[in-house]
Amino acid sequence: MRLLSRVLPVLVGLGLASCAGVDVNTNYDPAAVQRINQFHTYAWLTHPQQTKDSRINNDITNSQVTGAVDQDLQARGYQKVDASANPDFLIGWQGAIDKRLSADTVDNYWGYPWDPFWGSYYGPSQTYVREYDVGTLILDVVDAKEKKLVWRGTAQSDIGDSPSAQTNSGKIEKGVEKMLKDFPPEPKEKK
């Protein structure tokens, strides 16, 4: 019973951490909003091999990212064309996987103040450290005529202790969907 009371909070914390969603941020050039709203056709930039991590730079991940982006953009009326067909914008992606540490301290008093009557029963607090991988996906939209970055979306998610392209394809699709929800950007009203 005593072991279960110590292990249960850790298991619940790990379970909640594994259910964590995808964090998304977008940024854009405010001066380019009008041009971005006029975009109708796009083509893919060549994928840069900035890292030698084979979990990112492989045909499966490239297919998952480009497929998710193509599906989302085409469902909203954008047309994919060849780069030689003078598209309105170019889109490219980059990725990274970084190691992170998480430390959780579990007090054996369950959040209540120490009581001299029960103090020796509960024992001291314990800290549990977990190492995990965080995947980052970056989508860049470049104005094809001006060759200038006009929109960027980033998505980050905990991909667990042993990331694989097969188990994380759902997170790629969810991240792409959440990022592109803010594309094209809405012009900000002047105050």
Side-chain angles (χ1 to χ4, degrees):
M1 180 68 176
R2 190 170 179 177
L3 178 63
L4 179 62
S5 67
R6 288 184 177 179
V7 174
L8 187 61
V10 175
L11 293 176
V12 169
L14 290 175
L16 291 174
S18 67
C19 296
V22 178
D23 295 325
V24 172
N25 290 306
T26 60
N27 196 3
Y28 61 91
D29 178 2
V33 172
Q34 192 65 26
R35 285 192 323 271
I36 294 171
N37 286 322
Q38 302 301 317
F39 290 165
H40 300 290
T41 59
Y42 73 97
W44 279 96
L45 292 165
T46 54
H47 178 64
Q49 299 271 335
Q50 292 182 340
T51 178
K52 294 182 179 165
D53 193 336
S54 62
R55 297 173 294 177
I56 298 167
N57 293 318
N58 62 62
D59 292 337
I60 295 171
T61 303
N62 186 53
S63 175
Q64 289 173 341
V65 172
T66 57
V69 171
D70 286 342
Q71 181 179 355
D72 190 280
L73 289 177
Q74 291 170 8
R76 294 192 288 130
Y78 292 97
Q79 181 183 3
K80 180 180 171 182
V81 297
D82 191 68
S84 62
N86 294 325
D88 296 326
F89 68 98
L90 303 169
I91 191 163
W93 74 273
Q94 303 171 51
I97 297 177
D98 300 312
K99 293 245 182 249
R100 301 270 173 92
L101 292 176
S102 171
D104 295 313
T105 301
V106 179
D107 68 6
N108 293 324
Y109 307 116
W110 302 99
Y112 295 100
W114 181 81
D115 183 354
F117 181 72
W118 295 102
S120 62
Y121 175 74
Y122 287 115
S125 299
Q126 293 184 353
T127 300
Y128 299 93
V129 178
R130 176 176 87 99
E131 183 179 72
Y132 60 98
D133 290 318
V134 171
T136 303
L137 174 65
I138 300 172
L139 289 181
D140 288 332
V141 172
V142 176
D143 185 326
K145 290 181 180 71
E146 295 191 15
K147 306 291 188 227
K148 182 179 172 186
L149 180 68
V150 292
W151 183 91
R152 172 172 275 180
T154 60
Q156 271 193 339
S157 180
D158 176 351
I159 53 177
D161 300 327
S162 57
S164 70
Q166 293 79 15
T167 58
N168 288 306
S169 66
K171 289 185 180 182
I172 290 173
E173 292 167 359
K174 185 176 182 179
V176 166
E177 180 183 333
K178 286 177 78 173
M179 275 189 282
L180 290 178
K181 183 180 76 169
D182 294 330
F183 180 82
E186 296 291 326
K188 292 184 179 177
E189 295 181 17
K190 294 182 180 177
K191 294 181 182 181

